[in-house]
Amino acid sequence: MKKIKISVITPSYNQGHFLGQTIESVLSQTGDFDLEYIVRDGGSTDESVGILKRFGDRIRWVSQKDAGQTSAINEGFRSATGDILAWLNADDIYLPGALQMVAERFQKEPGSMWLIGEFQMIDETGAKIRRIHSTYKNFLIRHYSYRLLLTENVCPQPSVFFRRRVLDTVGFLSEAEYYVMDYDLWLRLVL
């Protein structure tokens, strides 16, 4: 069976104080999958470019002025070659084993279009915060329904992965949206 290729996009702008940890959390993922990691930096003036250079050819990256986060994510998706796509913001991380779980689930369910996982909210030191909020969202994820999605964004963006063909079917992120581009995509995805 062919290995699944997962492409992760990280949009960033002046997030150098988080960026190294985010990149490490992606590159440290191990398992039976191929990984493509793309960072789209919006022309940061902080230490971001130096951090990106440290990772050499382990990541693909560009640093140039862009039209904002949504545009950067879409540009990453356009250049990605993976079967499975996701984006991880520059202040988020993946827990160890996350991408292996994603690869296994998509292998077991070849007809599934997207996957929603549980999540934890952490502060910049990695300490868990807002535990009640995380527990509530994770409860809702386990009871996901379209009807529930219509009333609340129950899908924590860092824990959503989808097949490339989703973009062919429902389109890219709406660049008219700056804060709810994820929710807009989820709603279009399930129609």
Side-chain angles (χ1 to χ4, degrees), residues 23-61:
I23 293 171
E24 287 290 350
S25 83
V26 176
L27 294 180
S28 67
Q29 298 289 313
T30 60
D32 192 25
F33 59 89
D34 291 325
L35 175 65
E36 175 182 53
Y37 189 30
I38 301 169
V39 178
R40 299 288 304 191
D41 178 75
S44 293
T45 57
D46 67 358
E47 67 273 20
S48 294
V49 172
I51 292 166
L52 292 167
K53 287 179 179 178
R54 273 193 348 231
F55 291 95
D57 64 357
R58 295 174 63 204
I59 60 174
R60 284 186 19 217
W61 63 273

Side-chain angles (χ1 to χ4, degrees), residues 12 19 35 38 52 71 96 126 153 167 173:
S12 183
L19 188 57
L35 175 65
I38 301 169
L52 292 167
S71 173
N153 184 0
L167 298 179
L173 296 172

Side-chain angles (χ1 to χ4, degrees), residues 27 122 154:
L27 294 180
I122 59 171
V154 299

Side-chain angles (χ1 to χ4, degrees), residues 110-162:
S112 64
M113 294 294 282
W114 64 318
L115 171 70
I116 309 162
E118 292 187 358
F119 83 117
Q120 298 172 4
M121 294 183 78
I122 59 171
D123 66 14
E124 57 193 37
T125 69
K128 292 181 186 179
I129 60 172
R130 300 182 64 193
R131 291 174 189 240
I132 292 173
H133 178 80
S134 300
T135 300
Y136 173 69
K137 283 280 194 177
N138 290 334
F139 171 81
L140 293 178
I141 291 166
R142 288 189 297 275
H143 297 87
Y144 170 84
S145 71
Y146 177 63
R147 187 175 191 172
L148 179 59
L149 184 62
L150 286 174
T151 61
E152 184 173 352
N153 184 0
V154 299
C155 307
Q157 172 273 312
S159 66
V160 174
F161 297 81
F162 52 91

